[in-house]
Amino acid sequence: MSTVQPTQFVESDVRPKDVRLATWICFFAWTFAVYDFVLFGNLLPQLAEDLGWTGAHSTEVNTWVTAGTAIVAFAIGPIVDRIGRRKGILIAVAGAAVASLLTAMVGWVIGLAAGLGLVFLVLVRSLAGLGYAEQAINAAYLNEMFAHNSDPAKAKRRGLVYSLVQSGWPVGSVLAAGSVYLLFPIGGWQLCFIVAAIPAVFILYAGRWLKESPQFSHRHQIDRMIKAGQLEVAQLLGQKHGIDVSEKASPLASVFRGESLRSTVTIGGAFLLNWLGVLSFAILGTSLLTAPDGKGIEFSNALLVLIISNATAFAGYLFHGWLGDRIGRRNAIGIGWILCAGSFFTMLQAPNGNFPLIIALYSAGLFFLIGPFSALMFFTGESFPVHTRATGSSLINAAGQVGAIIGGLLITASLAAGSGWINATLWWGVIPILASGILIFAARNVDPRTVRTD
């Protein structure tokens, strides 16, 4: 059997400036992935009007798109655990850009064949699930890159720094709304999607300087040694870097075993339940606030809701990222979501017409609903070993889209039965949020002062 001397081990050459560069690239990659992701929702009414769709047909198409997004967002995880984090980020960026460009062609394809055009739209927007998956890949990649940072002061701020990366969601949402305002009068929804693909060119170019994470590089090296029959040397390298060499199953199988199983069930279940609340109060929040059987508030300026929701989300990201560095990310998430349920429950009980009180409670609810996601994505990376980190993160991330589908069906059924927005969002918004806050405490706690190196 051939042998490899320890001096032949490939050591990482990742430096602090490489970690800083990776952080910035991940921020911009996520920001413009959100830009494309949110753009479709913003432009769906105009697209439906242009193509002659009814409201019900538009909702049906969006449901199929959401299902496709979940499948693609999950499927990329095992691939990233095989090919690497760096390549995964670039694939996600390229996939979101291609989806934007192809979306601009939907009208032309539907003009040739309506049925084929609908299938084309669902497939194209499902491909945009690669952009949605960006946050899961970022979480796995930056978790490993930050762990390589030997500066104790910076290690204590990992959650706060990651929350800045995750804040690409409100930043991307505002950019999407701004682009619709500026570009739609000029070239319609097609131009908006074409322009959305342009930032990917610069991100892909900057990606040339991304370095693979040390943890993945070590695991990849160990796998190659095992395949070459160099088991003893592979074990030596695994002991050196704290990597379990005995785990040889595929990432997709391993994520449902041992330590990973607990994280998959508890974090994934909490993520799914919480997305019912995201749908109720963030995505459908305007409908709840303005509906006669909701809070009955007249919103003549939709920009006000946009500013409140995104400013609140941005502040919530930073707060929960900071809090997670101090009391543990699991605890910050659970406390945040329980307070969120209390805020939204109080808002639903508040007297209609009291604009200041309702908006204050709505803002508090969004703060504690959206903010914990910055801690959640980083916590997900901490909860899986390198062998299953991207797969586990992607599975949990995709669970959010499953929750959105379930929530949409339940709220639609409740409204159709005459329950009204107050009761519908109480049962399928407040209660699932509260359950998610309780369930997350069943996950394994991770001391924020420790750095996982495997």
Side-chain angles (χ1 to χ4, degrees):
M1 181 180 71
S2 61
T3 59
V4 176
Q5 298 300 320
T7 54
Q8 292 178 271
F9 291 161
V10 178
E11 294 296 342
S12 172
D13 62 346
V14 173
R15 294 165 291 180
K17 71 174 186 179
D18 298 318
V19 178
R20 289 194 296 272
L21 177 65
T23 302
W24 278 108
I25 291 177
C26 286
F27 168 75
F28 285 113
W30 176 230
T31 296
F32 289 107
V34 171
Y35 179 29
D36 167 78
F37 190 72
V38 173
L39 194 64
F40 179 70
N42 289 348
L43 290 172
L44 184 58
Q46 285 77 17
L47 190 150
E49 182 180 351
D50 200 24
L51 299 177
W53 295 349
T54 64
H57 186 53
S58 177
T59 304
E60 179 185 3
V61 170
N62 190 59
T63 300
W64 283 108
V65 167
T66 303
T69 298
I71 294 172
V72 172
F74 167 66
I76 190 64
I79 296 174
V80 173
D81 272 329
R82 291 293 187 188
I83 67 174
R85 316 322 188 195
R86 176 184 176 276
K87 291 179 181 177
I89 289 172
L90 299 180
I91 289 173
V93 170
V98 171
S100 291
L101 289 175
L102 293 179
T103 303
M105 300 171 54
V106 166
W108 177 72
V109 176
I110 289 180
L112 293 178
L116 178 62
L118 288 176
V119 173
F120 177 76
L121 175 61
V122 171
L123 292 177
V124 165
R125 294 315 304 173
S126 296
L127 181 63
L130 288 173
Y132 174 74
E134 182 73 48
Q135 66 175 337
I137 302 172
N138 282 353
Y141 179 57
L142 292 179
N143 205 288
E144 294 167 1
M145 293 293 278
F146 291 169
H148 192 68
N149 196 330
S150 59
D151 186 339
K154 292 182 179 179
K156 293 179 181 178
R157 300 196 302 268
R158 290 175 297 151
L160 177 60
V161 173
Y162 181 76
S163 71
L164 290 169
V165 175
Q166 191 66 13
S167 69
W169 180 278
V171 174
S173 297
V174 171
L175 287 175
S179 70
V180 172
Y181 178 78
L182 294 173
L183 299 174
F184 185 78
I186 300 173
W189 55 267
Q190 294 91 341
L191 179 62
C192 296
F193 283 110
I194 292 173
V195 172
I198 295 176
V201 176
F202 300 98
I203 297 172
L204 290 172
Y205 181 78
R208 298 168 56 197
W209 288 279
L210 278 178
K211 290 189 176 180
E212 186 54 84
S213 78
Q215 292 179 32
F216 177 82
S217 297
H218 295 146
R219 177 73 207 199
H220 187 60
Q221 188 180 4
I222 288 171
D223 289 341
R224 283 185 298 157
M225 288 177 175
I226 293 175
K227 289 180 180 179
Q230 302 167 344
L231 184 59
E232 292 181 3
V233 185
Q235 290 174 335
L236 181 62
L237 182 59
Q239 291 172 3
K240 180 179 179 181
H241 295 292
I243 296 175
D244 183 9
V245 178
S246 64
E247 183 56 81
K248 303 185 183 71
S250 70
L252 186 56
S254 298
V255 81
F256 293 104
R257 296 180 180 178
E259 173 196 1
S260 295
L261 175 61
R262 179 178 176 183
S263 299
T264 299
V265 172
T266 56
I267 305 176
F271 199 98
L272 186 151
L273 286 169
N274 193 262
W275 255 86
L276 272 75
V278 171
L279 180 76
S280 297
F281 295 106
I283 298 175
L284 300 178
T286 305
S287 299
L288 165 66
L289 292 172
T290 59
D293 57 352
K295 301 312 297 179
I297 292 176
E298 185 67 32
F299 270 113
S300 58
N301 186 1
L303 183 61
L304 177 61
V305 180
L306 179 70
I307 293 173
I308 290 174
S309 61
N310 286 288
T312 302
F314 184 83
Y317 279 142
L318 300 187
F319 173 76
H320 288 89
W322 170 85
L323 184 63
D325 282 333
R326 280 150 182 78
I327 67 172
R329 277 164 266 283
R330 184 199 68 175
N331 298 336
I333 297 162
I335 292 171
W337 283 345
I338 290 173
L339 290 175
C340 167
S343 299
F344 281 136
F345 175 79
T346 307
M347 185 200 75
L348 293 178
Q349 307 309 311
N352 284 13
N354 191 331
F355 180 83
L357 178 61
I358 292 173
I359 290 301
L361 291 170
Y362 179 65
S363 298
L366 288 177
F367 182 90
F368 292 116
L369 173 67
I370 305 298
F373 278 89
S374 65
L376 179 72
M377 297 311 299
F378 199 78
F379 178 59
T380 300
E382 291 179 317
S383 300
F384 291 92
V386 62
H387 182 56
T388 61
R389 185 164 289 131
T391 300
S393 296
S394 297
L395 175 60
I396 290 170
N397 194 37
Q401 294 297 286
V402 176
I405 296 172
I406 294 173
L409 294 174
L410 292 173
I411 290 175
T412 300
S414 296
L415 293 175
S419 293
W421 276 98
I422 299 294
N423 286 331
T425 52
L426 172 63
W427 283 102
W428 311 124
V430 172
I431 292 177
I433 292 172
L434 178 62
S436 70
I438 296 172
L439 178 58
I440 198 69
F441 283 106
R444 184 179 64 87
N445 195 25
V446 178
D447 188 339
R449 296 169 296 179
T450 62
V451 176
R452 185 165 193 163
T453 58
D454 67 340

